[in-house]
Amino acid sequence: MNLHIKKRIVCAMSGGVDSSVSAALLKKKGYEVIGCFMRNWEKHEDDDSTTKCTSDKDLEDAIYVSNQLNIRLHIVDFIKDYWTKVFEPFLDDYQHGLTPNPDILCNKYVKFDSLFKYCQERLDTTYLATGHYAQVKQDKQGIKYYYKLMRGYDMKKDQSFFLCHLEKSVLPFIEFPIGGMMKSDVKRLANELNLERISQKTESMGLCFIGKRKFSSFISQYISDNIGHIKSIETNEIIGEHYGLHRYTIGQRITPINKQHKSSKPLFIAKKDLINNIIYAAPGTNHPALFTKSFDTDIPHWINEIPCLLKETSQYQCDFRFQHKHRPLPVMLSLTAKNTLHVSLPIPIRAICPGQYAVFYNENEVLGAARIIDSGTSLYDLQWTEPLISSDLILNMC
């Protein structure tokens, strides 16, 4: 990093320990650090939550840290951008029976687009840092240099999954100061900086706009309930009713309302029929109807270029994750005539949900991602008879 060129840098500050230590490390390296606190959400008239969004408390903490580190803090309003580019697509996906990932969209459209442009236009710098557990590395290909997005050093905290839709044009201007550190070392450093108040905070989980509410209660404020039938995946019999497809996701346990048949096992969602407003449920958490050995995606986003082998032979073996806490799993990608992907899995995977993202890796490098559009033929439809165990047990192994 050439400091005489990149002397000024903006650090996105959330009031948490990761962004706070990131700002401190940048200052220690000699940067002129400008803090930026992003307001992305405000309570709306149709939001009947009694749970206060943590944003106000987070702002207090960001101000406290900026004072401790003696850096300027800007408060930036991206509420409109978040609403139109993240939240409205989030609602639209649920209305169409999909399971979205708003964190990926927030990074793509708000943090590394709207905030990045704000740095250029208002703060006279093109350099942006965040507290993500990820890394950017420079590599050489022939006579040209290019930048790669890499997993964080702390594999348990790695957040590269949520950065899978970054554009290669922003990588040379991004810093992840704690990407090469363990979380335990980040907290220790915060204490050494007299930021115990921040290091002892409970880590934020989930989405701010939902807070501590049940997801079903939250989503029903924006999408009206639409009662429909729950049918048995095995017999096609009606076994009860549901409140609306938007409340549920593939693999989730479901308790029918107006139950018409008793089941000896808990019921789990195997399939959703959007046209007829029907949920098909399977008895038991490891029923073959919940598993697949392949799925299809839309046109992928590659951070740099499409892998040469995939381009030349339409086949490419790499690793993938569809949930950020899962360890990468080797898969075979097949490029279709429409430039979409067919993904073949080495083991049956439970609850592949349309709307989620498949993120692809070459060892620790993030290659890109593609949105899942079809979860493939279930093992039940393939008349699978072998015993199954939850793939989470395998994917969560370190």
Side-chain angles (χ1 to χ4, degrees), residues 97-100 249-250 351-357 371-376:
L98 302 175
T99 303
T249 191
I250 301 296
I352 296 281
C353 301
Q356 291 181 326
Y357 285 87
R371 201 164 189 232
I372 299 167
I373 57 173
D374 188 328
S375 54

Side-chain angles (χ1 to χ4, degrees), residues 162-229:
F162 300 109
L163 303 170
C164 63
H165 256 268
L166 292 192
E167 300 293 339
K168 66 179 180 181
S169 58
V170 306
L171 292 184
F173 308 102
I174 293 174
E175 288 285 333
F176 299 122
I178 63 168
M181 299 175 64
M182 298 295 291
K183 179 77 175 195
S184 56
D185 292 328
V186 172
K187 286 197 168 187
R188 176 184 53 77
L189 185 54
N191 291 333
E192 291 175 3
L193 293 166
N194 297 317
L195 296 175
E196 292 91 346
R197 161 178 163 178
I198 305 301
S199 68
Q200 293 171 7
K201 283 180 67 173
T202 302
E203 287 194 68
S204 59
M205 303 292 289
L207 300 169
C208 170
F209 52 76
I210 295 179
K212 296 180 180 179
R213 289 169 288 176
K214 287 185 177 180
F215 175 78
S216 57
S217 300
F218 166 79
I219 199 69
S220 291
Q221 293 176 224
Y222 295 91
I223 304 174
S224 298
D225 285 350
N226 183 19
I227 290 179
H229 292 310

Side-chain angles (χ1 to χ4, degrees), residues 105-306:
L105 295 184
C106 181
N107 284 322
K108 176 180 176 66
Y109 292 114
V110 184
K111 282 195 180 88
F112 296 98
D113 185 19
S114 297
L115 178 59
F116 189 70
K117 290 174 181 174
Y118 182 88
C119 295
Q120 296 172 304
E121 296 167 3
R122 302 291 296 275
L123 300 177
D124 193 29
T125 180
T126 55
Y127 299 100
L128 172 64
T130 70
H132 284 96
Y133 287 87
Q135 302 178 81
V136 174
K137 292 189 176 179
Q138 190 183 64
D139 208 348
K140 190 175 183 181
Q141 195 171 46
I143 62 172
K144 293 184 178 180
Y145 287 93
Y146 70 103
Y147 292 81
K148 301 188 296 186
L149 177 64
M150 310 294 291
R151 295 186 70 187
Y153 178 75
D154 189 336
M155 294 299 182
K156 290 185 178 180
K157 291 295 180 181
D158 169 46
Q159 294 172 304
S160 63
F161 180 92
F162 300 109
L163 303 170
C164 63
H165 256 268
L166 292 192
E167 300 293 339
K168 66 179 180 181
S169 58
V170 306
L171 292 184
F173 308 102
I174 293 174
E175 288 285 333
F176 299 122
I178 63 168
M181 299 175 64
M182 298 295 291
K183 179 77 175 195
S184 56
D185 292 328
V186 172
K187 286 197 168 187
R188 176 184 53 77
L189 185 54
N191 291 333
E192 291 175 3
L193 293 166
N194 297 317
L195 296 175
E196 292 91 346
R197 161 178 163 178
I198 305 301
S199 68
Q200 293 171 7
K201 283 180 67 173
T202 302
E203 287 194 68
S204 59
M205 303 292 289
L207 300 169
C208 170
F209 52 76
I210 295 179
K212 296 180 180 179
R213 289 169 288 176
K214 287 185 177 180
F215 175 78
S216 57
S217 300
F218 166 79
I219 199 69
S220 291
Q221 293 176 224
Y222 295 91
I223 304 174
S224 298
D225 285 350
N226 183 19
I227 290 179
H229 292 310
I230 300 174
K231 288 188 174 183
S232 166
I233 194 75
E234 296 181 337
T235 66
N236 205 39
E237 289 182 295
I238 297 173
I239 53 179
E241 293 180 321
H242 62 80
Y243 288 105
L245 299 185
H246 60 281
R247 283 182 174 235
Y248 311 96
T249 191
I250 301 296
Q252 175 185 344
R253 183 173 177 176
I254 187 169
T255 301
I257 54 175
N258 302 322
K259 189 182 296 184
Q260 297 181 21
H261 293 276
K262 289 185 178 180
S263 173
S264 60
K265 295 181 179 180
L267 296 171
F268 295 85
I269 299 167
K271 187 169 64 174
K272 296 194 284 187
D273 180 345
L274 181 65
I275 295 175
N276 298 302
N277 194 30
I278 295 171
I279 285 176
Y280 289 89
T285 185
N286 292 326
H287 192 282
L290 300 169
F291 289 78
T292 185
K293 282 207 71 178
S294 67
F295 60 89
D296 296 300
T297 77
D298 62 6
I299 296 175
H301 166 78
W302 302 110
I303 293 178
N304 280 293
E305 306 295 336
I306 180 173

Side-chain angles (χ1 to χ4, degrees), residues 104 133-134 149-152 155 158-164 301-303 307 316-331 333 357-370:
I104 289 175
Y133 287 87
L149 177 64
M150 310 294 291
R151 295 186 70 187
M155 294 299 182
D158 169 46
Q159 294 172 304
S160 63
F161 180 92
F162 300 109
L163 303 170
C164 63
H301 166 78
W302 302 110
I303 293 178
Y316 183 68
Q317 186 167 341
C318 64
D319 291 337
F320 110 109
R321 290 192 289 174
F322 73 101
Q323 291 186 18
H324 82 281
K325 290 187 177 181
H326 285 168
R327 67 178 179 87
L329 186 73
V331 295
L333 307 184
Y357 285 87
V359 181
F360 306 115
Y361 296 82
N362 177 16
E363 295 182 347
N364 288 329
E365 179 188 358
V366 186
L367 300 174

